[in-house]
Amino acid sequence: MPPLVTLEKHGNLGVVALNNPPVNALSHELRRTLCALLAEAFADASIDAIVIWCEGRTFIAGADIREFGKAPLAPDVPEVVELIDRAPKPVIAALHGTALGGGLELALACHYRIAVASARLGFPEVTLGLLPGAGGTQRLPRLIGVSAALDLIVNGTLVSAAKAHALGLIDAVIEEPLKEHAQAFGARVLLERRPLRRVSELVAQLDAPEQLEAYRSSIAQKHRGFLAPFHCIEAVRAAVELPFEAGLQRERELFVELMASPESKAQRHAFFAEREVAKLPGLAAETATRALRSVVVVGCGKRARALGACFAGAVPAVTLLAGTQQELDNTVAALGVSSAASVLDGANAGEGRAGMTCTLDARLLSEADLIVEASAGDVAAQRSALARFDAASRPGAILVSTLPYSDIDTIASCTGRPADVVGIHVYRGGAARIVEIMRARDTSPEVSATLMQLVKSLGKVPALVRGPVGSRMFTEYLREALFLLEEGAVPQQVDRVLHDFGFQLGPFAESDREGLDIEWNHRKARFDSLDPRARACTLLEQICEQGRFGLQAGAGFYRYDADGNPIPDPDLEALLVLHSKDRGVVRRTIPDHEILERCLFALINEGARVLEERVAARPLDIDMIWIHGYAFPVYRGGPMFYADQLGLAGVRDAMLEYAAQTRAEHRTPAPLVERLALGAKGFYAAP
Ligand code: CAA
């Protein structure tokens, strides 16, 4: 293994190079070696200035997150940073790649900072539920002003080298190769006898006395539920109100508080889960993939358009296959895509959105590398569509089903090549970062790997599962919410409770947005397998039968104004009262904590079943699907992580109590919850 840090002499310049792949994180061993070599360079009378730069793809991307939560080992990052600040000779940070967090803090302690044009700089700590804890909140406002510093620290925004230069964060944007130009810059600093410019000696001032309070109010809604953004503001307050040393101390106190907070633990869990989710055990990283040059999405509806738009960014040719001339005309008009009378003949009509075309020419199926069924509304229609694609397409083409609730094994079995069949589910019309890839029993690893790679190339996070996960759990969550309506709650109360927990939308507003027909169709398809209480809770069909299909229809669980804002609806409340009466249920006032627990425990319980049936391989797959697919609050880590924080014994006991109280036998804890609770374990491990 090459050394983590080296010191080379080039004339009277000392060049310190860090080499800790993949991202030069400030691990303990690196910090120790760096301090030793810096001390050596400071003491060496033949070295007049020092350049710090990094080998590999990036400058330091921050503290080593894997060390968080463990006992800190000296020297810690603040010690390294302060050592550089006090250096007796100029120290220059030469940046490339991403200079982040502790890496940028180290650079801020240097006396000069230069970067290549492609470098990006920032403080992403807030996304880990933290604040820059090695002087970043004290130095940045001193260097670039309070307003710009708040923007970077509180939002975790990365800036380009050019923007950093304009802000005064760096002294120059330099040419590549970095090492040579950094040395030339160092030589210039010496030649021009430039002073030791210590950022710690500058003064940070507010633009107006009420600036911090105004800023706090301006971000209150956006950062609702998070702790770190507000602690960041307090740290910046220390930079303007306290001397530098006292400010550092205040920053440390706030950092330590955040590090111990449940919010940060959850956000750090999410950081690693997001990287882990794409590495599935059982699917080797080197699995071969198939080339995807052309995708045909069959259909022109909401689902088809969303999928087409997603793929258009990554695949050279994406075509929506319309069923009728009317569909073709509507799509061309709505999306601004080009129409193609016959794509195979190259008869494209007009310029449209890059990479996307719409056609009626089904012969295109024979040329496609990937065919996506996005028009059929039920499993039978999907099956016959995939059988048709099987016959029409060339060997090796991948066939994709997109029904959110479909049993992918049943669908794959209608083709003669189940190894080529896979399901996908995008959330929020393709806007969500997660994509569920559902492999069938016989889907080949190559096909799974191809889809995983495609999703990654879209900048999204792929979760490889054995069947529907997010939608299946949502059904149980909504079912419990409907029981609550039957017992006495109203949609706005349930939604408020879940919104206060941290969801953007509660279950009813979420269902209205997605369209109630989806859940209704699913309910109809599995009606015979429902338990008696679920069958008797007919609220969904009563609402849909009135044409209240949700936001698009102008009414669902709410009524919607012209701007799409939900309005509680007395007609719906009358329907609820009547339904409860018909069912012989005496409506009662349901406390908020009961609403919260019953909805969340229904979600967690179904997640446990999904794990037990191996539909999802790991709890982190479920957490990622819920954080990205349903905006489960990231500062709670996802439903399975959150359950572990609550303790599964408590979850189990509460479920049993609610089951007894509401005579809801269906709500018995899943066997996995029972087993883990008995063993005092969590979904992730023993607590
Ligand atoms: N510590 C430890 N490991 C890290 C890391 C860090 N700061 N940053 C990234 N890694 C690891 C990732 O976990 C991943 O590991 P695996 O290959 O084992 O999965 C590997 O490095 C590569 O990371 P990515 O897959 O994310 O690579 P990328 O090229 O897509 O992105 C990156 C690179 C932009 C640096 C991105 O990894 C990133 O944003 N990292 C986090 C940066 C960060 O939050 N820094 C602040 C740390 S907190 C801090 O510094 C506190 C302080 O004030 C002292």
Side-chain angles (χ1 to χ4, degrees):
M1 276 251 299
L4 285 174
V5 191
T6 54
L7 169 62
E8 280 175 8
K9 277 198 246 178
H10 292 266
N12 57 351
L13 271 185
V15 178
V16 174
L18 276 54
N19 189 5
N20 186 20
V23 296
N24 284 309
L26 289 167
S27 65
H28 172 242
E29 193 48 28
L30 183 141
R31 299 194 302 271
R32 203 185 57 75
T33 323
L34 177 59
C35 283
L37 287 183
L38 283 173
E40 191 181 318
F42 295 166
D44 188 333
S46 67
I47 294 180
D48 292 327
I50 298 159
V51 171
I52 300 180
W53 78 296
C54 290
E55 304 273 4
R57 69 193 219 215
T58 179
F59 191 73
I60 304 161
D64 191 333
I65 303 170
R66 288 171 210 277
E67 291 178 3
F68 288 179
K70 300 181 188 157
L73 293 170
D76 60 14
V77 181
E79 280 174 78
V80 182
V81 167
E82 297 316 314
L83 178 74
I84 294 172
D85 185 284
R86 290 191 305 271
K89 44 190 86 170
V91 183
I92 297 139
L95 316 178
H96 76 294
T98 41
L100 303 179
L104 184 54
E105 291 180 297
L106 183 145
L108 281 171
C110 293
H111 310 108
Y112 295 92
R113 285 157 296 283
I114 52 179
V116 292
S118 56
R120 289 185 309 141
L121 295 75
F123 284 123
E125 281 88 340
V126 73
T127 61
L128 300 169
L130 295 171
L131 53 75
T137 64
Q138 304 307 295
R139 286 192 176 84
L140 196 64
R142 283 177 162 81
L143 189 63
I144 66 169
V146 170
S147 176
L150 281 171
D151 191 30
L152 257 68
I153 296 171
V154 173
N155 297 316
T157 329
L158 304 197
V159 291
S160 65
K163 176 85 192 286
H165 190 221
L167 287 172
L169 177 49
I170 59 173
D171 300 290
V173 180
I174 57 164
E175 299 284 310
E176 308 213 34
L178 173 67
K179 192 176 173 189
E180 284 70 5
H181 284 91
Q183 286 179 41
F185 185 88
R188 228 170 28 250
V189 167
L190 289 176
L191 189 72
E192 294 168 7
R193 296 179 184 281
R194 293 200 203 171
L196 284 179
R197 279 192 14 217
R198 293 197 168 92
V199 177
S200 56
E201 291 171 358
L202 304 175
V203 174
Q205 280 176 330
L206 294 178
D207 300 334
E210 68 289 355
Q211 184 178 3
L212 294 177
E213 280 64 37
Y215 188 77
R216 174 180 275 274
S217 323
S218 75
I219 64 156
Q221 190 49 35
K222 178 174 168 205
H223 294 289
R224 181 179 67 93
F226 289 88
L227 199 58
F230 303 97
H231 273 45
C232 289
I233 298 174
E234 288 317 299
V236 171
R237 182 191 302 284
V240 288
E241 290 181 357
L242 300 175
F244 185 74
E245 289 301 328
L248 278 186
Q249 215 176 322
R250 179 73 183 125
E251 177 193 81
R252 187 97 306 243
E253 286 163 12
L254 291 163
F255 180 81
V256 169
E257 253 178 53
L258 287 177
M259 185 63 96
S261 68
E263 287 85 351
S264 177
K265 279 186 197 141
Q267 287 177 259
R268 282 180 271 141
H269 153 70
F271 175 87
F272 286 115
E274 188 163 326
R275 279 144 187 87
E276 226 29 62
V277 70
K279 301 175 202 159
L280 202 84
L283 188 66
E286 60 278 3
T287 306
T289 55
R290 295 183 192 169
L292 297 179
R293 284 170 301 267
S294 68
V295 171
V296 174
V297 179
V298 179
C300 288
K302 205 168 120 192
R303 201 166 4 128
R305 289 176 187 186
L307 286 162
C310 277
F311 296 140
V315 179
V318 176
T319 309
L320 301 184
L321 185 58
T324 62
Q325 185 64 43
Q326 184 68 44
E327 250 184 20
L328 177 75
D329 295 343
N330 290 346
T331 309
V332 168
L335 297 188
V337 296
S338 58
S339 68
S342 165
V343 174
L344 287 183
D345 298 339
N348 278 5
E351 291 293 310
R353 186 188 295 181
M356 195 145 124
T357 318
C358 189
T359 186
L360 268 169
D361 187 354
R363 285 179 299 159
L364 196 65
L365 293 173
S366 66
E367 294 289 300
D369 298 316
L370 189 84
I371 302 174
V372 184
E373 167 49 52
S375 63
D378 60 26
V379 175
Q382 284 264 320
R383 277 171 62 87
S384 71
L386 258 77
R388 185 162 63 90
F389 303 161
D390 182 16
S393 62
R394 59 170 184 72
I398 299 173
L399 312 182
V400 181
S401 158
T402 59
L403 273 188
Y405 292 101
S406 57
D407 170 1
I408 189 69
D409 289 342
T410 309
I411 290 175
S413 66
C414 72
T415 71
R417 44 169 154 163
D420 290 336
V421 177
V422 72
I424 59 169
H425 180 35
V426 296
Y427 289 87
R428 295 177 190 259
R433 284 197 66 214
I434 197 89
V435 177
E436 259 179 47
I437 301 171
M438 292 174 263
R439 58 177 163 183
R441 191 178 37 245
D442 299 316
T443 304
S444 75
E446 196 179 292
V447 167
S448 297
T450 304
L451 267 288
M452 296 282 277
Q453 192 186 57
L454 172 63
V455 170
K456 282 191 232 170
S457 71
L458 301 173
K460 294 186 185 288
V461 180
L464 187 57
V465 290
R466 267 291 280 122
V469 171
S471 51
R472 168 175 165 177
M473 290 170 68
F474 187 83
T475 297
E476 292 306 298
Y477 170 65
L478 180 65
R479 179 161 88 147
E480 195 64 34
L482 287 165
F483 289 164
L484 287 161
L485 295 190
E486 199 172 59
E487 291 168 38
V490 287
Q492 55 273 27
Q493 183 193 6
V494 176
D495 280 353
R496 174 184 48 77
V497 170
L498 273 306
H499 178 264
D500 289 350
F501 173 76
F503 277 101
Q504 275 169 14
L505 297 177
F508 296 118
E510 174 82 36
S511 304
D512 271 0
R513 191 177 61 174
E514 291 303 304
L516 299 188
D517 48 328
I518 300 176
E519 277 295 332
W520 188 31
N521 285 339
H522 181 44
R523 179 174 160 83
K524 281 189 274 189
R526 59 185 204 127
F527 190 80
D528 292 344
S529 65
L530 295 177
D531 62 61
R533 169 137 197 221
R535 270 192 232 175
C537 183
T538 53
L539 287 170
L540 195 60
E541 38 270 60
Q542 290 184 54
I543 293 170
C544 288
E545 277 160 5
Q546 292 184 8
R548 302 177 65 125
F549 289 115
L551 175 60
Q552 292 283 331
F557 287 105
Y558 296 90
R559 221 160 245 304
Y560 290 88
D561 68 15
D563 297 325
N565 299 310
I567 302 162
D569 186 353
D571 288 352
L572 185 105
E573 287 170 30
L575 181 150
L576 296 179
V577 170
L578 201 61
H579 171 78
S580 303
K581 194 166 161 227
D582 287 352
R583 290 265 294 113
V585 178
V586 179
R587 291 179 73 78
R588 65 187 169 100
T589 304
I590 304 180
D592 287 356
H593 74 86
E594 179 178 340
I595 292 178
L596 182 65
E597 290 190 343
R598 283 178 54 185
C599 290
L600 288 183
F601 295 171
L603 190 60
I604 292 164
N605 207 39
E606 193 61 15
R609 293 187 200 283
V610 162
L611 281 177
E612 197 150 43
E613 292 166 24
R614 308 287 304 153
V615 176
R618 302 157 299 179
L620 67 87
D621 297 304
I622 297 177
D623 283 342
M624 283 297 100
I625 288 169
W626 271 80
I627 286 175
H628 292 301
Y630 292 96
F632 189 99
V634 62
Y635 56 82
R636 300 196 193 271
M640 311 321 273
F641 182 86
Y642 182 67
D644 280 5
Q645 307 312 300
L646 292 175
L648 287 184
V651 172
R652 175 204 53 197
D653 294 348
M655 284 181 68
L656 288 172
E657 243 173 70
Y658 287 127
Q661 178 191 323
T662 59
R663 294 191 309 281
E665 301 76 24
H666 68 279
R667 201 45 78 217
T668 49
L672 180 61
V673 172
E674 284 283 12
R675 271 203 313 281
L676 293 173
L678 271 177
K681 291 193 170 139
F683 291 114
Y684 279 90

